[in-house]
Amino acid sequence: MHDTNAEQSLRNVSQRGDENRPYNAPSDGQCSIESDEVLVRRWLAEKSARTQEEYARDFEQFVEFVDLPLRYVTLGHLQEYREHLKDGYARSSQKRKLSAVKSLFTFGTKLRYFAHNVGAALSTPSVRNDRAERILSEADLWALLRDERDLRNHVLLRLFYASGGRISDVEDLRWRDLKDRPDLNGPDGRPGGQVTFFGKGGKTRAVTLYSKVWSLIIRLRENEESEGHGAADDPVFRSQKGGCLSRSQIWRVVKKAAVRAGVKLTEKTGPEGAVKRDEEGEPIMTSEVSPHWFRHAHASHALQKGADLELVRETLGHESIETTKTYLHAQPGKSSSYYVDEAPDFNG
């Protein structure tokens, strides 16, 4: 990993010649990390690529504000930074920036770089929970799936819903990550399969898939094999160039399907907020729906239909004390996708 701007700023701050022992350094001197920039590098290495970019930017801003080596930072400095962020940032952005800083101090304390976690007592702004606004109704979901006639794209959307997977779970999926599970019977009595995700934070989880979505996955693979693809290392969702669909391509598939179905439409705007218009002056429409909306829909619909809360949590891989249970079940007996397998048949 190349040096970040935050690491360069930390080096500049650390070279100011402080002679006294930092207050927040452990007295035993057992930590193997020799500098702030090494700590930051190791901290970021434990994050996903996307989170690394966000946290590096956020932390660079924090370093510029406090202008201190990290071992000199106190809770008071963090509180001052929190006040500083109130001027010019939405509450959601404030929360993310403060969470990044808290994450670093927690990480450093665990590694004995800090004697005390000065961020532990720092509260972050509460953010309005608008998840309910981002849950598709079954009617909207069925319309979105029913109108997608391209088999690859339909399976992509169906898998998002049936598995509750994140885009990071799905974007690099290979055929070796899917396997038949003849021991699993869906609501219609037909056998299903299993998908193994290598997703957020490098964590692995297996999710069972029932007959309706699994039969479509098998159909997609047969089509791929007829075209000379579909080998174990080949992408499940192949682009025209032969690689995996990119994150932006997956977003476009979702947006296009939602617009076609007329679900959660909104006017497309430019960088400055101006509404984009076509040649006839009519607003160009897009949709609020994103890949993550399918994950929300999975959880909501499964719970509404009687799925156990813990089963849903394990299927989605939510962070909790119970998350480790998923690693013990490389061959799960049942997932909450069982409860959402009655989506309409593919008519393409």
Side-chain angles (χ1 to χ4, degrees), residues 271-287:
E272 298 181 356
V275 175
K276 292 187 175 182
R277 299 182 181 276
D278 60 22
E279 295 179 353
E280 298 180 356
E282 294 297 320
I284 299 175
M285 304 305 292
T286 184
S287 172

Side-chain angles (χ1 to χ4, degrees), residues 73-229:
V73 173
T74 66
L75 176 60
H77 293 122
L78 299 182
Q79 291 170 334
E80 290 171 5
Y81 183 57
R82 181 177 59 194
E83 289 300 311
H84 166 73
L85 292 176
K86 289 181 179 179
D87 184 16
Y89 292 95
R91 293 176 70 87
S92 58
S93 295
Q94 295 173 38
K95 187 177 183 68
R96 190 197 70 237
K97 291 175 182 294
L98 292 171
S99 295
V101 175
K102 285 170 65 73
S103 171
L104 175 70
F105 279 99
T106 298
F107 180 79
T109 305
K110 288 180 179 178
L111 296 186
R112 299 286 299 154
Y113 187 75
F114 302 118
H116 310 286
N117 184 356
V118 297
L122 184 74
S123 63
T124 58
S126 59
V127 179
R128 177 174 171 266
N129 186 350
D130 62 352
R131 179 167 293 175
E133 300 171 10
R134 292 179 281 119
I135 294 177
L136 292 166
S137 68
E138 284 195 330
D140 281 344
L141 184 70
W142 294 170
L144 198 152
L145 292 175
R146 191 177 295 115
D147 290 346
E148 180 53 80
R149 299 302 181 89
D150 180 88
L151 178 61
R152 182 202 65 183
N153 295 347
H154 185 95
V155 173
L156 174 66
L157 301 179
R158 184 75 68 124
L159 183 63
F160 270 131
Y161 178 57
S163 69
R166 302 177 179 91
I167 192 170
S168 58
D169 295 326
V170 173
E171 62 182 330
D172 193 38
L173 203 63
R174 309 286 173 157
W175 285 110
R176 65 172 177 268
D177 303 324
L178 293 143
K179 70 174 185 177
D180 289 307
R181 287 289 301 276
D183 57 309
L184 291 175
N185 289 322
D188 59 4
R190 293 183 294 169
Q194 173 180 311
V195 58
T196 300
F197 289 136
F198 304 88
K200 187 175 180 180
K203 297 176 181 177
T204 302
R205 74 182 189 281
V207 177
T208 49
L209 300 169
Y210 291 86
S211 53
K212 186 164 288 189
V213 64
W214 189 249
S215 64
L216 289 173
I217 289 172
I218 295 302
R219 180 174 166 184
L220 176 63
R221 186 165 194 176
E222 290 173 348
N223 282 10
E224 287 289 282
E225 290 173 340
S226 70
E227 297 179 9
H229 306 285

Side-chain angles (χ1 to χ4, degrees), residues 240-256:
Q240 291 184 346
K241 294 182 178 180
C244 295
L245 286 178
S246 67
R247 182 177 292 257
S248 60
Q249 288 173 322
I250 292 174
W251 270 74
R252 284 197 291 272
V253 169
V254 171
K255 293 288 185 184
K256 187 175 180 179

